[in-house]
Structures are given as C-alpha cells and as structure tokens.
Amino acid sequence: MASKPSIPKGTRDFSPAEVAKRQYIIQIIKSNFEKFGFQPIETPSFENSETLMGKYGEEGDRLIFKILNSGDFLAKANETYLEAKDSTRLTSSISEKALRYDLTVPFARYVVQHQNEIEFPFKRYQIQPVWRADRPQKGRFREFFQCDADVVGSKSLWQEVELVQLYDSVFMALGLAGVTIKINNRKILSGIAEVIGASDKLIDFTVALDKLDKIGEDGVKKEMIEKGIAEEAIVKVQPLFNFTGTISEKIEKLSVLLSSSAEGLKGVEELRFICDNVTNLGLSTASLDLDVTLARGLNYYTGAIFEVAAPKTVTMGSIGGGGRYDDLTGIFGLKNMSGVGISFGLDRIYLVIEKLGLFPETVTSTSKALFINYGEKEAFYSMKAIKELRSSGIKVELYPDNAKVAKQFQHADKRFIPYAVIVGEEEMNDNQYSLKNLVSGEQKKVSLDDLKGILK
C-alpha cells in the first residue's frame, strides 16, 4: 500500500479560496507600489552560494537552504572534510547554489550586475517567495512570500518619509487599522554603544536590548553582563529601559543621552527629520512610534530601521520591516550606492486580516453563475451566452455533464456559486434565461443583457 503523500514542514498548499485572498492582498500592495513610482523586477529563486553566504550573519547563514550540485556531487568533495564528517566545510565543495533567503541581497546583486542599464535613483518592487530553514511555528514558515520596495541611488531622507506613507497607504487600503510603524536608527544604537564605552560590543548590546519586551529589564541586563558589558556601562543607559513619551520627547531624551557622540547625534537628527515630516503630513490609519530597542538587520542597515507591529488585538510577530543601507552593493564591488527599503510580510498580514474578519465577501475565486446542463441543445445555447458573458469579464461556467439536476445544484452550493442559470425548451423559444439566486431562492426570467447586468 502506497504511503500517504505529504509536504515538507514549514510549507503549505493553498486552496482556491486562500489563493484568492492572497491575490487580493498582493494586488493592493502591488497597486500601491506602482502608485508610489516603484517598478517591478524578478530574480531567480536560487543564487550562487557566494552571493548569499556571509551577508546575513552567522544565524542567517545557518538558515540558508543549500542545493546539492547536480550529478555525482560527492566526486569533487573534499575527502579530508568528508572523512572528518565536517559538514560546515564540506558544504562549499558539494553545493554551489542556494535558495534565496530574502529579496534584498539578490536585489543588490541585480543592481551591481545591471548598473549600466539602470536609471538612478532606481525604485524597484519585488513580490516573490523566499526560503529559510527556520523552525516552523505560527506565522513563521520555511517558504513564504516577501513583498519588497527599495530605492537605491539616493541618500535623501524624503525616501524614508515616503516609505512610512507607503506602509500607511497599504494598510488603509486593506482596512487594517491600529498598525504601529516602529522606527529607530542604527546610528543611535552605535552612539549608545560609544557613550557607554562598548563599541566593540555593539551587536551583543543591541541584540540584548532588542529582547526587552520579551525577557524584561532584568533579563536584558543579565544577558549584557554575560556578554562582557560592564555594569557601570549599563547604568549609563538606564533611561532606555523606561523610554516613554511622545516621539518629540523621546528625541529630546536621546539628544541628551547622546550629547557626547557625533554619530549618535547624527542619527537623532535623521530621526527628527523623518518623524517631524511624517507627523506634519499625517497618517491615515497607522501610527508612528520611536522604539530605541529596535535593532533588526544590524549586518547591513546603517540608518533608519523600520518594523511594523500588527494591531494590539492580534498576537502576531512583525508584519513588515526594513531600513536604510548605505553600502549594501559594496559587498559586490559597487561602492557608495545608498539605498533604503521596506518589506511587507504577506503571510502574517493574511493571518491578521483573517483573524479580524477583514476580507471582503467579494474576495472569491468562484464563478458568479453555473449554467445547468439539460442536454446538448441546451448546453450549446448556454455556451453562446457564456462566451458573451466571459467577453464582458464575468466569471461563469457550464456544468460539463448532463447529470441529475439535483447534483448540479449541489455542485454550485459546494462551490459557493451564488447563481444558477436554467435553460430549457421554454427559455430557448423565448430567447431568455431563468436566473435563480441560490441564496434567496428567488428565480426569474431575464434577457442576455439583463443577465449580464445582474451578474456584473
């Protein structure tokens, strides 16, 4: 007996209804990307390993899916590493390609490779799947879509202002109120580390600080001490553990805290520009918050850092994020190419909208009407109408088999098709159609034009 088929952990099949809802979200994101002047590109699902490895830190490298070389991949394997069962060193000799981990690094590769064809500043968007060998859990998958918008070739902070507005525009269109766009700046984190005399511990400091909402003040301090950060240094940043107030008040507190750090003060001024302009321009449904514990993407973010939190009524990780990277293309040889970008977490946004019941009832992949098949003559008469309706952009179909009428109506019910069209001798003689509303049970005879009008 054949074993029951299955799919890998962290991946999913999507039903027609689920695909329709995902496409609804994607279309709103895509239309807003284009409204803000972003152009689409696509890159391969897998890249050369050297393109990806070393770009996401040690943790990121561990989560990259490696692809075994074609053919006898062990033929060129390093025998010393093979005998020693040293999988880390062996990998490079048996795997030359890997599935992309995100869309940002492949985008940097794209910019460098096509720099002579690109008009800068270059605003691109990309909606494609990525893969991570992560531990699957709620809202976290091994295969998922990212929806990215980036601008390269401009250092202007107006780009950050626009990206905050882009987030707001998308979530407003999705009807998702109560979203919080958190913002910080890598320069501020560097400045804090400088002020406390722990610049060499920047990553340890910020990774610990980033856990404040998870393990609390005592847990963060304990982790910092374990990482070699002096207690007197931690005392200097005590205000960060209770960092409240309006954005303006927080910025003033940072100005005082970072008064001895030129780098830190530069970050403060960048934040002031972005936050002041966003506040003055106004947001529709989202809110902006300055969060000094935000420390995502330390390996390549150099300026503003963004993270989007779902409404407080839903327990969910971040549903978007991004930031400024002043020299991401430098890893591929193109220096001084500043960029900034954001990403939308499609899968988590889907879960949030589903939980809050915000998908419109009209979001469906099903047909508007099913023509009941009473026989060959009736089917041909129906098909002429179906051709006309489809040319008007209306989704309709004919039940293909001349089966029992009850079975055909059951099929429509199971497919959530709202109307049935009945064609018999009487309808054909009168050049009409009987339209039955399968929700209310109401039935009436209509012309083709009327049928078109009702179904549209």
Side-chain angles (χ1 to χ4, degrees):
M1 183 178 175
S3 60
K4 187 178 179 181
S6 62
I7 58 175
K9 287 182 179 179
T11 64
R12 296 150 296 161
D13 289 323
F14 297 108
S15 68
E18 289 169 328
V19 170
K21 290 175 180 177
R22 286 168 65 85
Q23 288 177 342
Y24 163 75
I25 297 172
I26 288 172
Q27 190 52 47
I28 284 178
I29 294 173
K30 180 182 175 183
S31 65
N32 276 278
F33 281 167
E34 293 178 354
K35 187 167 67 177
F36 277 70
F38 292 87
Q39 298 175 290
I41 68 163
E42 291 187 357
T43 60
S45 57
F46 56 93
E47 297 269 354
N48 292 324
S49 295
E50 61 189 28
T51 299
L52 304 178
M53 299 299 289
K55 311 304 189 300
Y56 307 101
E58 190 177 327
E59 178 73 3
D61 282 356
R62 189 179 62 79
L63 298 180
I64 291 173
F65 276 109
K66 286 82 176 177
I67 301 172
L68 289 174
N69 294 339
S70 302
D72 186 2
F73 59 87
L74 285 179
K76 296 181 181 179
N78 184 296
E79 291 187 12
T80 303
Y81 299 150
L82 188 59
E83 287 176 14
K85 296 183 179 179
D86 188 340
S87 59
T88 303
R89 294 186 176 183
L90 181 64
T91 300
S92 61
S93 63
I94 64 174
S95 173
E96 297 170 356
K97 300 175 184 66
L99 292 177
R100 61 171 173 245
Y101 177 88
D102 73 352
L103 298 178
T104 307
V105 170
F107 172 52
R109 189 268 310 152
Y110 176 95
V111 170
V112 174
Q113 197 170 338
H114 299 275
Q115 57 186 287
N116 295 327
E117 308 153 29
I118 293 172
E119 171 60 28
F120 294 103
F122 180 44
K123 300 177 76 171
R124 88 81 168 88
Y125 78 82
Q126 202 170 344
I127 302 175
Q128 287 187 281
V130 298
W131 294 266
R132 296 182 185 179
D134 215 342
R135 184 172 63 86
Q137 52 186 285
K138 183 182 178 182
R140 179 175 291 176
F141 308 99
R142 287 176 170 170
E143 179 186 63
F144 57 97
F145 267 72
Q146 283 189 339
C147 310
D148 285 12
D150 289 77
V151 188
V152 288
S154 170
K155 293 184 178 180
S156 170
L157 294 176
W158 285 112
Q159 306 290 1
E160 279 86 338
V161 173
E162 280 221 310
L163 289 173
V164 173
Q165 290 183 310
L166 174 56
Y167 266 137
D168 184 49
S169 181
V170 167
F171 292 122
M172 179 181 67
L174 289 169
L176 192 55
V179 162
T180 302
I181 303 167
K182 299 178 182 180
I183 186 172
N184 197 13
N185 194 295
R186 168 65 190 271
K187 295 182 181 71
I188 284 174
L189 294 170
S190 298
I192 292 169
E194 182 186 337
V195 165
I196 66 174
S199 293
D200 59 327
K201 300 281 186 181
L202 173 62
I203 291 179
D204 290 333
F205 174 81
T206 50
V207 166
L209 188 63
D210 197 27
K211 297 177 183 176
L212 184 61
D213 61 338
K214 300 182 186 74
I215 61 177
E217 181 179 336
D218 292 338
V220 170
K221 288 179 177 178
K222 181 173 180 286
E223 184 171 324
M224 286 181 176
I225 290 169
E226 288 172 354
K227 294 292 184 179
I229 297 171
E231 287 190 41
E232 55 267 27
I234 297 172
V235 171
K236 291 181 181 178
V237 291
Q238 182 62 38
L240 296 180
F241 296 110
N242 187 29
F243 205 68
T244 57
T246 65
I247 290 178
S248 295
E249 288 168 347
K250 288 178 180 179
I251 287 175
E252 291 312 313
K253 288 179 183 178
L254 284 173
S255 296
V256 174
L257 182 65
L258 298 172
S259 58
S260 62
S261 169
E263 177 83 347
L265 289 176
K266 188 176 180 184
V268 170
E269 288 313 306
E270 288 181 7
L271 268 186
R272 195 192 306 275
F273 179 91
I274 297 165
C275 295
D276 283 355
N277 281 292
V278 167
T279 301
N280 291 334
L281 288 166
L283 296 175
S284 299
T285 57
S287 59
L288 186 68
D289 183 39
L290 170 52
D291 183 355
V292 288
T293 69
L294 186 58
R296 59 184 289 132
L298 282 175
N299 283 68
Y300 52 74
Y301 290 137
T302 54
I305 308 168
F306 299 106
E307 189 165 280
V308 183
K312 291 181 172 62
T313 52
V314 182
T315 303
M316 183 63 66
S318 65
I319 58 175
R324 166 74 64 173
Y325 40 89
D326 277 340
D327 197 27
L328 185 63
T329 56
I331 57 180
F332 300 118
L334 181 59
K335 299 291 184 183
N336 303 315
M337 182 63 73
S338 186
V340 61
I342 59 172
S343 179
F344 290 82
L346 171 65
D347 298 286
R348 289 185 177 181
I349 291 171
Y350 180 105
L351 292 172
V352 171
I353 293 176
E354 184 88 302
K355 187 171 181 63
L356 295 176
L358 296 175
F359 280 113
E361 289 183 13
T362 53
V363 176
T364 175
S365 61
T366 197
S367 297
K368 291 295 293 289
L370 177 70
F371 280 71
I372 305 300
N373 190 335
Y374 282 93
E376 197 168 320
K377 284 190 303 181
E378 292 86 347
F380 183 75
Y381 181 89
S382 296
M383 283 301 293
K384 288 194 291 184
I386 287 170
K387 184 179 179 182
E388 178 84 14
L389 291 166
R390 285 172 177 167
S391 69
S392 298
I394 301 169
K395 294 190 285 187
V396 288
E397 59 186 280
L398 171 73
Y399 192 86
D401 305 307
N402 184 11
K404 289 182 179 178
V405 172
K407 182 180 180 181
Q408 297 186 50
F409 275 104
Q410 284 173 1
H411 179 75
D413 285 337
K414 289 177 180 177
R415 292 269 312 282
F416 300 103
I417 296 174
Y419 291 97
V421 181
I422 300 162
V423 172
E425 287 285 347
E426 186 179 323
E427 283 81 10
M428 288 192 292
N429 289 335
D430 295 341
N431 198 26
Q432 289 195 309
Y433 306 84
S434 288
L435 180 66
K436 184 170 185 177
N437 185 317
L438 297 179
V439 178
S440 67
E442 180 188 357
Q443 182 172 320
K444 60 182 177 181
K445 274 189 181 181
V446 294
S447 66
L448 181 57
D449 285 341
D450 289 339
L451 185 61
K452 193 183 297 184
I454 294 168
L455 296 181
K456 204 160 190 175

